[in-house]
Amino acid sequence: MPERVARIRIELRGTRPRVWRRVDVPLSYTLLSLHEVIQAAFEWHGGHLWDFEIDGERYSDPAFDEFVEPDPFGWSSSDASKIRVQRIVDLGIKKFNYTYDYGDDWRHILTVLRVIAADPATNYPALVAGSCRSPDDDCGGTWGFYDIADAASDPSHPRRQEYEEWKGEGYLESFDLNDYDPEWVRTRLAMVAEDIG
């Protein structure tokens, strides 16, 4: 059980209403573990490249190096499994970025709100609060996410049938930007805790 945790707000940029989650994360977690927390909190499925940008440095999974072209500006990434949340806190870094899926370009801003004592009755990582539905993987970025929302509210939308074929019958009827299931997020975070150990 951790002694202290960082309370972090994670907001998906470019969303209205804002899609965000607030989570408590052990200071011992690496950025690789924090990546898993974000994946669970936003219901991403993890099938895409990702990185953190912190104080001008990029951190990702070193296994990605074989899939990513060298940056022409020499901007390389470091191993996300080598940096702990504790280090970010110690450096006084309050805000940093996380990008998931370089095609859809889901950009998140992370804000370290504070460090608090861990509650012995709480399993970590823990969801504290959140708002709004997360976009589906591979929906075409922010533009695609809101186009799906438009199609859900407009039976004559030109791409409505395409979206229904993609996600299945009934998907658009149940689509709601404000739909957010904290219990499902907590279940996913519990699986992360089990995986990390």
Side-chain angles (χ1 to χ4, degrees):
M1 155 108 185
E3 292 183 9
R4 296 190 310 151
V5 294
R7 179 157 291 173
I8 301 174
R9 177 185 163 95
I10 310 160
E11 183 178 316
L12 187 56
R13 290 179 182 252
T15 56
R16 294 281 187 274
R18 295 185 192 278
V19 179
W20 61 272
R21 306 289 182 261
R22 191 178 313 134
V23 294
D24 287 345
V25 178
L27 295 178
S28 61
Y29 270 29
T30 65
L31 290 178
L32 185 59
S33 301
L34 183 56
H35 155 73
E36 295 297 332
V37 169
I38 297 168
Q39 291 288 300
F42 283 83
E43 303 176 54
W44 300 121
H45 296 292
H48 300 283
L49 300 175
W50 55 270
D51 69 53
F52 288 93
E53 183 188 348
I54 304 172
D55 203 23
E57 296 287 326
R58 282 174 53 186
Y59 300 89
S60 64
D61 188 327
F64 293 164
D65 289 346
E66 66 183 275
F67 302 107
V68 179
E69 294 291 324
D71 190 300
F73 302 104
W75 198 28
S76 60
S77 63
S78 298
D79 187 344
S81 69
K82 305 286 186 197
I83 304 294
R84 297 193 182 277
V85 173
Q86 177 74 61
R87 178 79 175 137
I88 294 165
V89 168
D90 289 347
L91 291 171
I93 295 167
K94 296 292 186 189
K95 290 187 183 254
F96 55 102
N97 299 300
Y98 170 81
T99 301
Y100 170 64
D101 184 351
Y102 299 161
D104 280 1
D105 198 31
W106 298 113
R107 295 177 186 237
H108 308 68
I109 180 76
L110 284 75
T111 305
V112 179
L113 300 172
R114 61 184 168 276
V115 174
I116 58 175
D119 179 350
T122 301
N123 293 319
Y124 296 99
L127 176 69
V128 177
S131 181
C132 296
R133 173 194 190 105
S134 295
D136 293 305
D137 272 282
D138 301 319
C139 72
T142 306
W143 178 89
F145 179 49
Y146 288 109
D147 195 51
I148 291 170
D150 290 344
S153 64
D154 178 5
S156 65
H157 190 282
R159 298 186 72 189
R160 187 175 174 99
Q161 183 176 348
E162 176 186 338
Y163 293 136
E164 286 178 338
E165 289 172 1
W166 174 50
K167 293 302 281 187
E169 190 175 335
Y171 171 74
L172 292 178
E173 284 74 22
S174 65
F175 189 95
D176 179 357
L177 286 174
N178 294 307
D179 185 27
Y180 159 63
D181 184 354
E183 289 312 309
W184 174 236
V185 172
R186 287 185 178 99
T187 298
R188 287 177 54 102
L189 288 172
M191 290 187 280
V192 168
E194 189 175 298
D195 288 345
I196 293 172

